[in-house]
Amino acid sequence: MEPAGPSVRELRLHLVTWNVGTASPPPDVTSLLQLNSLGPTMDMYVIGLQEVNSKITNFLSDLAFDDPWSIFFMAVLSPLGYIKLSSVRMQGLLLLTFVKHIHLPFIRDIHTQFTRTGLYGYWGNKGGVSIRMSLYGHTICFLNCHLPAHMENTEQRLDDFEKILEMQFEGENIPSTLEHDVLFWFGDLNFRIADYGIHFVRESINNKRYSLLWEKDQLNMAKKTEAFLKEFIEGPLQFKPTYKFDLYSDVYDTREQKSLFWFNEKKRKPAWTDRILWRVKHLCQNASKEGEFSEEEQTIFVTLNNYVSHMSYGISDHKPVTGTFGLELKPLVSVPLVVLNPEGEWSAEHDVIIRYSAVPEFPSSAWDWIGLFKVTFRHMNDYVTYAWVEDDEISSNKDSKQVYMSASEIPTMGGEFLLCYYSNNLQTIVGISEPFQILPSKTSIEKDLTQEENSWMQKPDDLESRDESEDRKGI
């Protein structure tokens, strides 16, 4: 069981939106992810990308293998104790969520969805992708959108966003997007600065007089007139508009005007196209009940700690934008469904034992399994070995059960590992052990090191290439 703690929990969330313009990942994202921050580390990273390279050949291969951006962020974050919780991709739209190990047993009901709006919905070049979950009993949804471009398409942007809100999770046994306790909406929303000319806009930016431009920002204007937008909150735009820049520079579009038959290629007017907004359901429900609502009734609060752009990244004509949030919540779920621990001393010289216990209401299945993971594992399929909770059971009583793992499956070189219980019914990890040490074998350490490295290098990530018995796990 989780040790008794404060009744309110503060989680730190770092959200990224970036139109990467089909580019490959940059060499370093330390500042983008605030990895050098002196404050407390993040509990969750949510990364929304637009215009990820979506050529047909790449798109088809991505169905079987992780795309380069997913691999890149996993390589950065997994050594720091984050795993990829979930991801969803639709053509150029990609949404990734990473979370610290400690929170895994309290994240449930994970679902993904996408809605195409580009080219009448037949091609996924525009639209929205979302990941929703229950976090300590509170429903959270992250929605990454790429809306239509160009100054004159404000109404189309609003229509598309309304369509996306209506279609996400439609017909599924899941709350609608707006019924979640907290909804984060972000992406390349493509809203522009109306009325003012390019020279006035650039001069205002150069003098950091951003407030002159806020009132003509199309999204700010729409929030005053469109009922479904009024409930969304955004931090102040105290950073330069993030579009459109020359590549590898912080200089706005300097293209010369060129004529191609009847088409004039104009310099793009700067705009805050890349945005992060959020909506708290309880605030909306009680906005009209002044005097009837006390803060004690609200169980989740969202605080924006930082809303900035990152000018040093130049791989595309957009600058990335990040929002760092505090989620203050009263946990509605505070006990993991399964508690598990390694028994005794672990090494590859003998079979090893795992003891676990589940809460009475846990819906166990013959397809549940316990995986052995390196502490730096990247995602739920990244196990070293596993045991079936029924097939490999060796003892059972009303308080706990024991399963074994064969000595032949234990890494001979040892190291630091975790045990995770995967529920087939819930399609997620519902229990995780404390990190523990596996002792190296006493014989042939150098020989084993070579064999271990070779076998792990050859091990595929995709589940379909595993043998049939592993396919039974049904991830």
Side-chain angles (χ1 to χ4, degrees), residues 10 20 26 34 48 79 119 154 178 180 191 202 228 257-258 263 272 328 330 333 359-360 362-363 378 382 393 446 449:
E10 171 93 18
V20 297
Q34 296 192 348
L119 292 179
T154 304
L178 294 177
H180 285 76
F191 290 101
R202 290 190 174 186
F228 75 102
Q257 186 166 322
K258 298 176 183 177
F263 179 71
W272 284 291
E328 189 179 298
K330 296 177 181 177
V333 174
V359 297
F362 174 62
R378 298 166 297 165
D382 196 21
E393 184 178 295
E446 290 185 8
L449 175 59

Side-chain angles (χ1 to χ4, degrees), residues 413 444-456:
M413 290 310 299
S444 306
I445 288 181
E446 290 185 8
K447 179 182 174 184
D448 290 340
L449 175 59
T450 304
Q451 292 174 343
E452 196 87 353
E453 286 178 343
N454 288 340
S455 66
W456 283 20

Side-chain angles (χ1 to χ4, degrees), residues 93-209:
L93 275 167
L94 176 65
L95 180 56
L96 304 164
T97 55
F98 293 86
V99 66
K100 275 187 174 178
H101 300 154
I102 190 174
H103 302 303
L104 283 175
F106 309 103
I107 299 177
R108 301 172 191 172
D109 303 322
I110 303 164
H111 293 87
T112 62
Q113 183 61 276
F114 61 87
T115 300
R116 296 185 179 95
T117 59
L119 292 179
Y120 308 101
Y122 289 109
W123 189 246
N125 62 324
K126 295 289 191 296
V129 292
S130 61
I131 296 173
R132 63 88 55 196
M133 66 192 70
S134 168
L135 176 66
Y136 289 93
H138 300 271
T139 55
I140 313 285
C141 184
F142 301 99
L143 174 56
N144 172 24
C145 291
H146 193 184
L147 300 181
H150 305 306
M151 178 70 69
E152 65 275 12
N153 285 333
T154 304
E155 288 304 316
Q156 187 65 52
R157 286 187 273 277
L158 296 173
D159 289 347
D160 282 10
F161 179 50
E162 233 178 337
K163 177 184 177 183
I164 291 166
L165 286 177
E166 291 169 0
M167 293 186 67
Q168 295 285 287
F169 309 115
E170 184 182 37
E172 301 183 45
N173 190 24
I174 298 170
S176 68
T177 315
L178 294 177
E179 283 300 307
H180 285 76
D181 294 328
V182 181
L183 167 62
F184 288 94
W185 171 41
F186 49 95
D188 180 358
L189 307 184
N190 253 322
F191 290 101
R192 308 303 169 102
I193 297 170
D195 298 343
Y196 296 139
I198 188 170
H199 297 295
F200 179 84
V201 171
R202 290 190 174 186
E203 192 64 24
S204 299
I205 295 168
N206 290 339
N207 294 320
K208 296 188 176 180
R209 301 180 71 184

Side-chain angles (χ1 to χ4, degrees), residues 104-105 107-111 132 336-338 359 361-365 367-368 380 421-431 473-475:
L104 283 175
I107 299 177
R108 301 172 191 172
D109 303 322
I110 303 164
H111 293 87
R132 63 88 55 196
L337 295 174
V338 173
V359 297
E361 65 270 22
F362 174 62
S364 62
S365 159
W367 303 98
D368 291 356
M380 293 181 194
Y421 188 110
Y422 184 88
S423 164
N424 185 68
N425 286 332
L426 301 178
Q427 294 285 294
T428 191
I429 289 171
V430 295
K473 294 198 316 311
I475 296 179

Side-chain angles (χ1 to χ4, degrees), residues 68-102:
W69 282 93
S70 297
I71 294 169
F72 171 74
F73 281 113
M74 280 191 287
V76 171
L77 290 170
S78 64
L80 304 176
Y82 299 90
I83 77 152
K84 187 179 82 170
L85 179 73
S86 185
S87 65
V88 57
R89 178 163 183 189
M90 180 189 74
Q91 289 292 96
L93 275 167
L94 176 65
L95 180 56
L96 304 164
T97 55
F98 293 86
V99 66
K100 275 187 174 178
H101 300 154
I102 190 174

Side-chain angles (χ1 to χ4, degrees), residues 18-24 50-53 69 247 315-318:
W18 193 3
N19 183 322
V20 297
T22 74
S24 298
Q50 306 86 39
E51 292 193 25
V52 172
N53 193 334
W69 282 93
L247 295 183
I315 60 173
S316 82
D317 53 5
H318 291 252

Side-chain angles (χ1 to χ4, degrees), residues 54 69 79 82 95 114-115 133 149 166 212 219 254-255 260 267 270 273 287 305-306 334 359 364 407 426:
S54 57
W69 282 93
Y82 299 90
L95 180 56
F114 61 87
T115 300
M133 66 192 70
E166 291 169 0
L212 291 175
L219 179 53
T254 58
R255 291 173 302 172
L260 181 62
K267 293 178 183 177
T273 54
N305 297 325
N306 204 15
S334 58
V359 297
S364 62
L426 301 178

Side-chain angles (χ1 to χ4, degrees), residues 385-400:
T385 185
Y386 64 92
W388 295 108
V389 296
E390 288 199 6
D391 292 357
D392 298 320
E393 184 178 295
I394 54 174
S395 78
S396 175
N397 60 48
K398 65 181 178 66
D399 295 320
S400 66

